[in-house]
Amino acid sequence: MIGFTIVLNKRKRHRRKKEENRRKLLYFLPVILIAIFSVCVSVFLKTDETEEKNYSAGDIQVFKTVDDYSAYYNPIVINEFFSYKKGDKIENEVLVRLGVWSILCTEERKKYEVFDGTLSIKKEEVGERVTMLFSDKTDFENVSSGDIIFDEKSECYVVPVMGFSPEYSAVLTSVKAEKGKTKLMVECLKSEGFKQDSFGKTVLPEADKNIIITLDKDRNSYFIESVSEE
């Protein structure tokens, strides 16, 4: 009988696999680098892209238009708050009016309790709306402002539903977003200038003022950075 021994060398096969894998990696390396470069370029371009949306005045319901930005521009125009830069001190009375009208321009009135021709809005809602408009860094205290009365007992704002006629109504004409900032171009129309044609359709007057409202982003929400006349 003849005996023999078989020796298996696993290391060589392992080395072959490693060499094959290295060759594959070298082969695909340019493709991987191109893919990474493409992703980086797309991210860079995305941060610098400009989005623009134009609005036709004929398609807009003046004064109470509910869209993505009406909570910002309507109270600004209604209260004639035409000059502001981030960091400016805003009186509590002004913040109350802006917060309340931001709510009234975007929420249904039936959501709130009605007593003798007035609405009752909880102070928490007004405070939240003020924070939304000017960020959580804004100092705010609950106070009465003109016809808007703060009732300390119920901790609600009592708002009259009649007898208010603003000098201006707002029309949003364009929205431009660039580098994290969003600019709202808004026309301010004198309320007394509205007329009707022979068909009963409302004819908009020419804009008495044009304002720019710049919104910045804080986490996932917008806040007003500046308001200026064009």
Side-chain angles (χ1 to χ4, degrees):
M1 179 179 282
I2 300 173
F4 61 92
T5 303
I6 299 175
V7 179
L8 300 177
N9 193 338
K10 292 183 179 180
R11 290 182 180 178
K12 289 183 178 179
R13 292 181 64 184
H14 188 61
R15 284 175 184 171
R16 281 181 189 173
K17 271 193 172 182
K18 276 191 173 181
E19 288 175 3
E20 287 176 3
N21 288 337
R22 282 176 186 171
R23 287 174 186 170
K24 287 180 180 179
L25 183 61
L26 290 172
Y27 178 79
F28 285 107
L29 188 59
V31 179
I32 294 170
L33 290 174
I34 291 171
I36 293 172
F37 178 76
S38 300
V39 170
C40 292
V41 169
S42 65
V43 170
F44 174 79
L45 292 176
K46 190 174 182 181
T47 58
D48 195 43
E49 69 182 354
T50 299
E51 295 179 2
E52 183 172 346
K53 183 176 181 181
N54 292 315
Y55 293 80
S56 171
D59 297 331
I60 297 174
Q61 294 180 359
V62 181
F63 183 62
K64 189 174 180 180
T65 303
V66 180
D67 55 40
D68 291 340
Y69 305 102
S70 59
Y72 296 93
Y73 69 81
N74 264 327
I76 292 295
V77 173
I78 290 170
N79 290 283
E80 300 178 48
F81 187 72
F82 296 143
S83 180
Y84 171 74
K85 285 184 180 179
K86 182 182 176 182
D88 288 353
K89 173 68 176 176
I90 308 175
E91 298 298 326
N92 285 308
E93 290 81 0
V94 176
L95 289 173
V96 167
R97 293 198 300 272
L98 292 170
V100 166
W101 276 102
S102 179
I103 291 171
L104 294 179
C105 287
T106 54
E107 301 286 350
E108 291 294 330
R109 289 184 179 178
K110 58 179 137 183
K111 175 181 176 181
Y112 305 100
E113 293 182 273
V114 181
F115 299 102
D116 299 326
T118 61
L119 295 177
S120 180
I121 305 176
K122 293 179 180 179
K123 70 172 186 178
E124 290 81 8
E125 290 191 52
V126 177
E128 287 172 4
R129 196 56 68 105
V130 169
T131 297
M132 186 198 81
L133 291 173
F134 298 102
S135 85
D136 55 5
K137 297 177 182 177
T138 304
D139 294 327
F140 173 64
E141 293 181 9
N142 293 290
V143 297
S144 296
S145 179
D147 292 334
I148 302 172
I149 306 300
F150 177 61
D151 183 8
E152 293 185 3
K153 187 176 180 180
S154 65
E155 296 189 329
C156 290
Y157 282 92
V158 181
V159 184
V161 295
M162 300 292 289
F164 181 82
S165 180
E167 183 175 358
Y168 292 103
S169 294
V171 171
L172 179 65
T173 57
S174 71
V175 177
K176 295 181 180 179
E178 185 176 12
K179 296 181 180 179
K181 309 284 185 181
T182 300
K183 290 188 177 183
L184 311 180
M185 311 297 290
V186 183
E187 291 184 347
C188 305
L189 313 181
K190 283 230 173 183
S191 298
E192 61 186 21
F194 288 85
K195 297 178 181 178
Q196 288 188 333
D197 60 18
S198 57
F199 299 100
K201 293 184 178 180
T202 301
V203 179
L204 303 184
E206 289 187 11
D208 188 64
K209 293 177 183 290
N210 291 281
I211 64 170
I212 301 172
I213 302 172
T214 303
L215 304 178
D216 200 354
K217 214 165 189 181
D218 182 14
R219 299 184 185 92
N220 295 320
S221 62
Y222 291 103
F223 65 89
I224 297 172
E225 183 181 69
S226 65
V227 181
S228 60
E229 292 189 39
E230 191 178 17

